[in-house]
Amino acid sequence: MVNQTDSVDHALVAASTWLIEHGFQLNNREWASLIWLGILAVCLLPWAQVRHGLGTVIRSAMSPKLLIVWVSFIMWIALIVIIAQWQRLWDPRLTKDTVVWAATAGVVSLAGFTDAHKQRFFSRAVWKTAGIAAFMEYLVSLSAFPLLVEILLQPLILVFATAPILVKAPEEQQKWQGWSSRFFLIMAVALLGNTALSLSSGWDSIDWRSLGLRSAWPVGLGLWVLLLVFVWSLVSSYEQAFLRLEWARPDPQGRWKAKSGLVLGLGPNLEWIHHAAKGGTYHIAKAQSVRTAWQASREFKHERLAEKKAEQAYQENLIRFADNPGLDEHGRPVDKREFRETRNALDWLSTCQMGWFRHEPIGYKHDLLDRFGDDFTRQGLPVPSGIVMKVADDGTKCYAWRRTVGGHHFAIGANGDPPNQWRYDGQNPPTGFPGIAPEWGKSPFDDDASPNWHE
C-alpha cells in the first residue's frame, strides 16, 4: 500500500514538473475564464435543449470532411513546432501557448477559409496577425489583474464587445459603439499600465529570449495557418466548381477534360474559382477537350473581369454623382445611391406578400412590415427602412414604396391574386394602387413606368 502511494506521489510530481516545464501555469485571467466556463456549464448543461444543441454542433464538427480539416490542422501545427525545434527557435514553455492559440484563434482563423475568396482577405489577415494590434494584444496579456478583478471584468468585456453588433437600431447602436470605445480605451490603458508595472518590478530577472519567442510565436503561428487556410479554400472552391460542372454535364464521360481545363484556366485564383462555383460555366462543362475547356475558362474569366470593372465604375459613380440632380443621356437620374438596395428590399417584400397571400385570412397582409420588424439590413437598407406599404381593406391589392437618399422613388405592388406584380419609379411616390393610379402604366412590368428597375 505504501509503495502504491509512493508511486502515485511520484507520478503526480512528475506530471506537475512536466506541466511547469511546458508552460502550463495558469495566470489569473486564464483561471477566471475557466471559472466562467464552469459556471456556464453548470447553469446550461442541465437543460436538454442545450445538450441537444451542443451535441448537434459537435456531430457537425466531426463530420468526415471537417474531420480531415481538423486532422490536417493538428498536423500543420505539429509541423511548425518540428521546424522551430530544428531551427532552435522552440522553447518547451511555449507548449501551453501553442495549445491555447490553436484551440481559440487558430480554429477561428482556419474557419475563415470559406471567406478567403473575398478581396484583400489575406492582406487584412496578415495585418491583423502581424500588425501593431497583435503586438499590443500580446503586451496586455503579459500580466493579469487579481483574480476577483479578472472575474468581474470578463462579463463586462463580453457585453461591450457584442452589444454594438447585436443592437440593430441605429441610435442605440451608435450609443453602444461610443460606450464600447471608451470602455476599451480605459481597459487598454489599465492593462498596459499593469504590464509596465509588472515588467519594471522584475526587470533584472526577465528572460529576454523567452519573452521574444513568446511575442513572436503567435504571429508565426498565425501566418503559418494562413497557408493552410489558402489550401483548404482552394480545395473547397474547386469542389464547388466541379459540382457545378457535373450538374451541367450529367454524363461522367469526359468530365475530367472540363475539370482539367477549368483548373488550367483559373489556376489558384480564389476569386475566379468562387465565381465558377456560383455558375456561368455551362460552356466549360460541355467542352469536348481540355484545350476547349481551357479556352472557355479564359473567356469566363474575362467576362467576370468585365463585370468587376463595371461594378467598380458603378461604385465610383455613386460617389461622383452624389446629390447631383441631373439626368443621363437616357433621361435617368445620375444619383443612383440606394437604387439597388431599394429594389432588392421591395422585391423581397413583394415575394413575401405573394407567399403569405394564401394564408388565412386570404389576401395581402397589412402587418407584413411588422412581421419583418422593418429589418431589411440584408438588402443593404438601414433600420428603419423607410418603406411605406399600403394594403386595400379587402386584401386584394397592395403596394409599397420607398424614397432613396437622392430623392427618387421606387414602388412595387399587385392588384390581383399572385402571381401579379407591378413596378414603378419616378420623382414622386405612387398616388394609388396598381391598375388604378396612372403612374403604374398600363400593365405589369411596364418599362415606361419603371425605367430604373432594369439596370
Side-chain angles (χ1 to χ4, degrees), residues 408-431:
H408 198 74
H409 295 79
F410 285 88
I412 197 166
N415 67 345
D417 294 4
N420 183 295
Q421 192 177 86
W422 296 64
R423 290 175 174 175
Y424 158 79
D425 72 86
Q427 289 302 308
N428 298 298
T431 57

Side-chain angles (χ1 to χ4, degrees), residues 175-296:
K175 287 180 182 178
W176 274 105
Q177 286 174 345
W179 294 337
S180 179
S181 298
R182 288 190 287 272
F183 173 78
F184 283 110
L185 177 62
I186 294 170
M187 279 293 302
V189 172
L191 287 166
L192 285 173
N194 187 51
T195 300
L197 287 173
S198 178
L199 289 176
S200 62
S201 62
W203 189 263
D204 295 333
S205 60
I206 294 175
D207 184 344
W208 292 103
R209 181 180 182 278
S210 176
L211 189 65
L213 283 176
R214 286 189 62 194
S215 62
W217 188 242
V219 175
L221 284 173
L223 297 177
W224 180 252
V225 168
L226 283 178
L227 296 175
L228 187 64
V229 169
F230 175 80
V231 171
W232 276 115
S233 181
L234 194 66
V235 171
S236 174
S237 297
Y238 266 122
E239 180 185 29
Q240 296 298 318
F242 289 166
L243 284 174
R244 183 70 65 173
L245 293 180
E246 291 170 6
W247 293 338
R249 187 170 184 159
D251 184 4
Q253 187 175 0
R255 278 180 185 167
W256 69 271
K257 297 176 182 178
K259 293 178 180 180
S260 300
L262 183 71
V263 173
L264 292 173
L266 302 185
N269 191 306
L270 294 175
E271 183 180 359
W272 303 131
I273 303 167
H274 179 73
H275 282 298
K278 293 194 294 184
T281 55
Y282 179 82
H283 296 297
I284 303 172
K286 295 299 182 181
Q288 298 301 314
S289 67
V290 175
R291 180 176 179 81
T292 307
W294 172 76
Q295 290 174 338

